[in-house]
Structures are given as C-alpha cells and as structure tokens.
Amino acid sequence: MELTEAQRQELAVNGFVRIPGVIPREKVDAALRAINGSIGERGIPPEDLPVLRSRSYCPELGGEAVITGLFEQTPFRGLAESAIGVGKVAPVGGGQIALRFPASGPAREPHAHIDGMYTPTNGVPKGTIGNFTALAGVVLSDVDEAFWGNLTVWPGSHLLHAAWFKERGPQSLLEGMPQVELPAPVQLTGRAGDVVLAHYLLAHGVAGNSGPHIRYGIYFRLNHVDHERTKWESMVDPWLEWEGMAAHRSA
C-alpha cells in the first residue's frame, strides 16, 4: 500500500496526511484488549499521571507485538516507506500509548509543540533535542467531534519551522518553540483503524476531551535509517529524509 499522488501533495503542503481504514479491526481490538486489561489489572496511580501523559500509558506494553504490530504488521509500514523510502524506515522499538480521559471541567484548548523538547516529565534529557523523521499515529477509538481528545495540527507549520531553523540553526529549539505566526489549528477526527503520517517539524498538540469516552491512540516515532547522520540537516531541509517526496524537496 502506497500513498497516492494526491496524498503526497497533501503531506507536502500541510505536513500531514490522514488515511482511513488502514489497520484491520482485529488488530485494533487486540490492542484495545491489551490496554484495557493492563489498566484493569494494574490501575493508574494518580501520582504517575504526569509522566504517563507525557510518555506512555501502560509502558510495559509499548514494545509488545500487539502494539508494534499496528505499524510493522499492517499496510501502515508500506505507506510510510512510500514517503520516506522503501527499506529506509528503521524498525520501531515501541509505541506510545496515548490516552485522553474525559475532562471533569471544560476541555482545554490544544497547545502547539514540536516533539523532542525537554520537559520535566517526558524523558528527553535536558540540553538535548530528540528529533526524528515522522510521527505515525494510529486511531484506536472513534473521534467524531472536536474536543474529544483530538490530535490537533497546525497545517503548513513544518515549512515555517524549517525556515526558522535554516536561519537560526536547529539548536535554537533548545531556547523554545520557533517564534513564527502559526496558521489556524485543525482538530482531526477519525474512526478506529485510521492512521496519520506527519512530518516531525509539524506543530501539533492534543485537545481536551469533553466527550463521553476515553480517546485511545498509538504514536510511533519513525526514523530514516540514516537519521543519526542527517538529524540536524533534516531540520533545515525538511524533505531530506523523505526519498518518496523528492519532487517536493527544495533546491
């Protein structure tokens, strides 16, 4: 399974693309069963919530095949390789289990960020930048409306950020988010089994959940096999690590 030309164009312009119905229902159900079983057996200590929100719920499951198989054993890998390069996506070591529980009060507005920046709870060492090639998201529960814990994106911000880093250097991310004027955010809706492929440099966040159900999702951080060699250059040349997007790479 490969991205269509229209989907490549959407990825190039917006920095992300949504593809419906990629993950078979049986794999969605198996992942949900494992996650709910873990929560039922282990519970969630309130004092652990800040770290679990930042890193992953059910961390003991992240590297299990029931989670990694959502990417490695479905058409999702082929879709990603059609953009990044056939055989050029490193194996995923684990997935982030991202849950958003219904809010007790008004759902909060999403806050834009780029992954890999240090916070006290996310596990990124202070003074480092944990960048990567692409964010790959799997929708495990239906998200029918805004403020249902939606993945939120700022379309086109990947190119604004690349221009910022080209002028000021990738290490300027250590000083905080690029000071660019972001476009209006879009809260993504979707059905269980849909996937999202997004550029690392795309500003994104999560909306609060005013819906009646827990929002379940899985996120994988994908790397081109040469990422360690090109990790800084890829922040100023946004399609450097995307061989399937060569037509959209700046000269």
Side-chain angles (χ1 to χ4, degrees):
M1 191 172 185
E2 297 186 357
L3 295 178
T4 66
E5 186 53 40
Q7 289 168 335
R8 291 176 201 269
Q9 183 65 23
E10 184 178 349
L11 176 59
V13 173
N14 293 330
F16 73 96
V17 61
R18 296 176 285 182
I19 307 104
V22 172
I23 310 299
R25 186 73 227 190
E26 61 269 20
K27 287 195 175 292
V28 169
D29 288 346
L32 289 171
R33 187 179 304 111
I35 294 166
N36 289 332
S38 173
I39 293 172
E41 291 176 3
R42 299 168 181 266
I44 302 178
E47 63 272 17
D48 293 346
L49 282 171
V51 170
L52 297 175
R53 289 192 194 104
S54 294
R55 301 188 193 183
S56 178
Y57 287 87
C58 312
E60 79 283 356
L61 292 178
E64 297 295 319
V66 71
I67 300 300
T68 60
L70 294 167
F71 180 79
E72 296 288 9
Q73 300 169 11
T74 71
F76 201 178
R77 169 169 276 280
L79 287 166
E81 287 192 342
S82 71
I84 297 170
V86 177
K88 297 302 177 66
V89 179
V92 297
Q96 176 193 7
I97 297 170
L99 310 181
R100 288 296 178 265
F101 292 86
S104 57
R108 70 172 181 83
E109 294 286 339
H111 175 72
H113 71 277
I114 297 174
D115 283 347
M117 300 174 65
Y118 162 81
T119 74
T121 57
N122 70 1
V124 176
K126 197 169 187 177
T128 68
I129 297 170
N131 69 336
F132 48 89
T133 303
L135 183 68
V138 176
V139 181
L140 288 183
S141 59
D142 296 345
V143 182
D144 294 330
E145 299 181 21
F147 292 103
W148 275 26
N150 314 59
L151 173 64
T152 303
V153 295
W154 280 258
S157 58
H158 61 308
L159 300 179
L160 299 175
H161 291 151
W164 175 274
F165 294 129
K166 186 172 184 178
E167 180 178 344
R168 292 167 176 81
Q171 299 290 339
S172 66
L173 187 59
L174 292 171
E175 302 166 9
M177 281 287 289
Q179 299 302 298
V180 300
E181 184 175 350
L182 291 173
V186 175
Q187 294 191 29
L188 302 184
T189 56
R191 312 292 290 178
D194 294 353
V195 302
V196 178
L197 184 66
H199 197 285
Y200 165 75
L201 291 175
L202 184 74
H204 63 283
V206 59
N209 187 356
S210 61
H213 304 294
I214 301 169
R215 190 227 65 187
Y216 293 80
I218 306 291
Y219 293 100
F220 301 100
R221 275 73 181 175
L222 307 184
N223 276 317
H224 188 281
V225 293
D226 293 330
H227 179 70
E228 282 305 307
R229 180 174 59 83
T230 58
K231 62 182 298 182
W232 301 123
E233 191 179 353
S234 70
M235 290 178 68
V236 302
D237 184 353
W239 301 116
L240 174 64
E241 296 181 342
W242 298 70
E243 297 177 17
M245 299 291 290
H248 303 282
R249 185 180 177 189
S250 300

